[in-house]
Amino acid sequence: MIKLPGLIDPHVHLREPGATHKEDWASGTQSGLAGGYTILLAMPNTDPPIADEYSYSIAATAANKKSYIDFGIFIGAGKDNALTAADLAPRAAGLKMYLDQTYGPLHLENLTFWQQHLKNWPVDYPIAVHAERRSLAAILFMSVLYNKPVHICHVARKEEILLIKDAKEKGVKVTCEVAPHHLFMTDEDIPQDEPGRGEVRPCLVSKKDQEALWENLAVIDCFASDHAPHTLAEKISASPPPGFPGLETSLYLYLNAVSEGRLTIDDLVLRMETNPRKIFRLPRQTETWIEIDPEFSWEIKATNTYTRCGWTPFEGWKVKGRLKRVILRGETVFEDGEIVAKPGSGRNVRLISTSD
Ligand code: NCD
Ligand code: ZN
Ligand code: ZN
Ligand code: ZN
């Protein structure tokens, strides 16, 4: 049995408010718990988006009542909320800026909006950005210009990881995460008969891009799931929304990579706990850990998962390593596939005192 700290997922989409048929704060945090996470940070591209006091309070109220694990809530950067967002900073996981088109209405096309947010957001609070290709180069420059460090979400391409590597070498304060589907899948995994299942942003990329991510593991600060649940019916429809569920598969893909010798357990803990905690300034959870059976071999299946979306892009994948037990604040909250915690036992990470 291996004992590890409770994992932290800094990039998760729970669909409440607005699309609870895909996920809500109960199902999403159960899914996180079943995947070995004891903290998740929720993205703001809900309906309405989390972008002001009112929408923040809708999400926070649902989270307080339903959450099974600790959580933070991002504020979305919009076209007219730079001051409001800055006011909410102490209660937020961070600011999220969508610099390219993806799921939801928060795309910031105009550079003026980037400037307003970068100037107003307080420097001690995190900023996470969806920035692909040329948007990445632009935000790195502006982050230096306005002296606001940024965390780059779901880096997928060779050009992107190499740009971040060079920026880090020049002393630019930038951190990044990679999602499991970009490390373990390529564009060759897009199903020919149901291509909607393969839709995700950033897109599934080439073998060459995937290899560049593995070759530059040292540049990758975090393994985030980018859990982005949409139902199977939506995925195979005429206009499939982009996004893959990931909370209940990420740990296993990484544990399997450990069993194959592609990663070490230390590589995993650094990117799934230590670094996310530092980058997002998260409190240490007292008496909290997870227990793993590293020898257990099994097959990933969408049945028996807690997420509401009902499918996984990793269906049928064989993996080695299984979560046995999760202990949160001294209490067993998950054991042998069963959730033992009560809804509402999760806390907002920004309200937990850091002296804990
Ligand atoms: C995400 C979603 O569905 O909210 N989709 C995705 O393909 N990654 C949005 C995002 O993270 O860009
Ligand atoms: Zn747009
Ligand atoms: Zn994104
Ligand atoms: Zn996302």
Side-chain angles (χ1 to χ4, degrees):
M1 205 65 71
I2 305 178
K3 187 176 159 182
L4 302 180
L7 305 177
I8 301 173
D9 193 341
H11 188 149
V12 174
H13 301 270
L14 304 178
R15 305 300 190 182
E16 185 173 12
T20 53
H21 67 285
K22 298 175 196 264
E23 204 77 287
D24 76 352
W25 275 92
S27 63
T29 55
Q30 287 184 322
S31 183
L33 179 52
Y37 297 98
T38 53
I39 298 180
L40 63 75
L41 303 183
M43 286 296 162
N45 60 335
T46 48
D47 183 14
I50 301 166
D52 57 17
E53 185 73 47
Y54 174 71
S55 46
Y56 176 88
S57 74
I58 297 178
T61 303
N64 284 328
K65 199 166 78 192
K66 299 183 181 179
S67 194
Y68 287 80
I69 59 176
D70 293 350
F71 59 88
I73 301 172
F74 278 96
I75 304 297
K79 296 173 173 49
D80 54 12
N81 73 339
L83 295 175
T84 316
D87 282 344
L88 283 163
R91 282 180 282 156
L95 179 72
K96 177 66 184 283
M97 297 173 66
Y98 289 92
L99 309 182
D100 298 286
Q101 184 54 51
T102 182
Y103 182 70
L106 285 168
H107 183 201
L108 283 185
E109 301 183 45
N110 191 326
L111 224 50
T112 304
F113 306 132
W114 304 20
Q115 286 168 321
Q116 287 167 355
H117 282 284
L118 288 173
K119 284 184 176 180
N120 283 290
W121 185 257
V123 67
D124 288 337
Y125 296 91
I127 300 177
V129 297
H130 179 131
E132 301 183 40
R133 310 187 82 166
R134 286 180 290 178
S135 303
L136 173 60
I139 193 64
L140 286 176
F141 171 70
M142 286 173 73
S143 130
V144 172
L145 195 60
Y146 299 111
N147 194 26
K148 298 285 159 74
V150 290
H151 174 80
I152 312 298
C153 295
H154 45 43
V155 176
R157 298 178 182 87
K158 180 175 182 176
E159 69 194 56
E160 294 163 348
I161 197 69
L162 292 182
L163 194 63
I164 294 167
K165 178 174 189 257
D166 290 348
K168 284 185 171 188
E169 281 170 9
K170 284 278 180 195
V172 175
K173 287 184 204 145
V174 56
T175 55
C176 72
E177 68 188 34
V178 171
H181 41 275
H182 294 123
L183 280 171
F184 296 104
M185 292 180 139
T186 66
D187 50 9
E188 286 163 27
D189 293 298
I190 300 170
Q192 293 302 305
D193 49 337
E194 289 171 337
R197 281 175 175 254
E199 280 293 344
V200 66
R201 296 293 173 275
C203 299
L204 290 179
V205 288
S206 70
K207 190 83 195 151
K208 183 172 92 338
D209 292 303
Q210 186 194 48
E211 281 166 5
L213 296 177
W214 281 99
E215 281 162 16
N216 292 284
L217 194 65
V219 183
I220 302 171
D221 300 283
C222 305
F223 292 152
S225 75
D226 189 16
H227 177 79
H230 301 285
T231 65
L232 189 54
E234 291 164 341
K235 293 297 285 181
I236 61 178
S237 72
S239 49
F244 293 166
L247 281 170
E248 286 165 269
T249 45
S250 295
L251 168 63
Y252 298 124
L253 296 168
Y254 293 117
L255 281 176
N256 192 60
V258 171
S259 81
E260 290 175 347
R262 304 180 76 190
L263 281 180
T264 66
I265 280 284
D266 288 348
D267 286 330
L268 183 157
V269 173
L270 183 69
R271 291 170 183 79
M272 299 183 85
E273 195 268 340
T274 319
N275 287 343
R277 182 187 307 290
K278 276 191 208 150
I279 292 164
F280 293 96
R281 299 166 183 244
L282 302 171
R284 213 166 268 291
Q285 295 167 301
T286 49
E287 286 182 79
T288 297
W289 70 89
I290 68 175
E291 291 168 6
I292 285 157
D293 176 356
E295 296 306 322
F296 191 90
S297 293
W298 58 290
E299 199 174 298
I300 294 175
K301 286 196 165 60
T303 50
N304 305 323
T305 51
Y306 288 93
T307 174
R308 218 164 256 175
C309 73
W311 73 286
T312 166
F314 306 104
E315 184 75 35
W317 286 35
K318 292 184 173 62
V319 288
K320 197 169 165 198
R322 185 80 173 147
L323 183 67
K324 287 288 292 175
R325 207 157 80 100
V326 180
I327 289 85
L328 177 63
R329 287 183 276 277
E331 309 263 345
T332 296
V333 288
F334 175 91
E335 191 157 25
D336 294 324
E338 296 301 321
I339 285 172
V340 194
K342 287 188 192 62
S345 45
R347 297 184 193 167
N348 190 325
V349 290
R350 292 298 181 237
L351 303 177
I352 299 174
S353 88
T354 40
S355 60
D356 274 0

